Amino acid sequence: VSQSRYQKLEKAKNILKPKSVAIFARNRMRYGRNLSINFYVKLINLLREKGYNPIWMGEKQSVYKCPDPTMLDLSSHPDSRDLEFTLAVLSQCEFTMQFYTASTRLASLVKTPWILFESAEQLVGVGQEGMRLVLTTDFDKKKIVINNFQKLYENEDTGISYCGQAIDELVNKNFETIVGMVDVRSIVTGK
């Protein structure tokens, strides 16, 4: 028997704690651009320090195994492949965070604010993420942090600092893009 959308929304509300934040922790072998699991452990700690309840999301085959057994792991939840349930969960989150992946589209569908760490070339160059954002995002409650992947990968603590800044600015309704660790700042900023 299929559950109605209302039932899925109620199920999502019942399993989530207040102030839930979805983390999409990319671990794709084919395309790379995966941050270390240690980075995500630091992010979980940062979110908890700020009073949030992080939840682990993503497709089981392309996300890290959840590093913390005390947090809700929706990547291995029985309903994780149900798109309506996933959207119901995201609709109840304060915001989502993703790094070099396109999970922003799902958050945008349900008008949940999101923070995306992405490289400049994926946003405006030959990459596809910029076009995806134009096609799927029609509201302004989002925060983009432009970082060169390799620089972030090699400087996790600086990256976590940018996470903290992005969270604080998003909460304070500052939706301006942050230019973080990039190769040539003047090319990205135009200044």
Side-chain angles (χ1 to χ4, degrees):
V1 175
S2 175
Q3 294 179 335
S4 71
R5 288 183 183 150
Y6 175 77
Q7 289 170 316
K8 291 175 185 183
L9 185 57
E10 287 304 306
K11 182 190 272 188
K13 287 179 181 177
N14 288 333
I15 66 170
L16 294 177
K17 294 177 181 175
K19 295 189 75 175
S20 288
V21 172
I23 299 172
F24 291 87
R26 174 190 175 117
N27 187 26
R28 291 186 176 166
M29 293 303 124
R30 180 170 183 158
Y31 301 111
R33 294 195 328 147
N34 302 318
L35 296 170
S36 76
I37 194 67
N38 186 52
F39 175 85
Y40 291 106
V41 169
K42 291 176 183 179
L43 177 62
I44 290 165
N45 292 336
L46 173 70
L47 287 166
R48 286 182 171 150
E49 287 168 12
K50 291 183 170 290
Y52 294 103
N53 288 298
I55 61 173
W56 201 252
M57 294 192 74
E59 298 170 319
K60 190 169 21 179
Q61 66 275 14
S62 65
V63 68
Y64 280 113
K65 183 179 183 311
C66 183
D68 185 337
T70 67
M71 66 188 276
L72 181 58
D73 177 6
L74 288 173
S75 69
S76 62
H77 189 275
D79 294 322
S80 66
R81 296 182 61 85
D82 180 336
L83 181 57
E84 284 184 345
F85 176 72
T86 298
L87 293 173
V89 167
L90 291 175
S91 75
Q92 299 306 301
C93 289
E94 296 287 315
F95 57 91
T96 70
M97 295 189 75
Q98 44 272 316
F99 302 82
Y100 309 97
T101 187
S103 304
T104 55
R105 292 174 285 191
L106 297 176
S108 292
L109 283 171
V110 294
K111 306 280 191 239
T112 296
W114 47 260
I115 296 171
L116 170 67
F117 277 63
E118 188 56 86
S119 60
E121 64 272 8
Q122 278 291 323
L123 293 166
V124 296
V126 295
Q128 297 180 14
E129 190 59 28
M131 186 54 69
R132 286 184 191 122
L133 293 176
V134 168
L135 293 172
T136 62
T137 306
D138 65 350
F139 73 112
D140 63 355
K141 295 177 180 149
K142 61 185 178 293
K143 193 76 178 171
I144 297 172
V145 185
I146 301 174
N147 276 292
N148 171 291
F149 169 77
Q150 195 62 39
K151 289 185 182 304
L152 182 57
Y153 183 82
E154 293 170 354
N155 300 283
E156 287 182 351
D157 289 337
T158 302
I160 291 298
S161 176
Y162 278 115
C163 288
Q165 178 184 348
I167 293 166
D168 292 345
E169 289 184 10
L170 181 74
V171 168
N172 289 311
K173 302 194 182 334
N174 174 347
F175 306 119
E176 294 177 20
T177 297
I178 296 171
V179 178
M181 295 176 280
V182 295
D183 292 326
V184 182
R185 181 174 286 284
S186 62
I187 291 175
V188 176
T189 64
K191 298 176 184 171

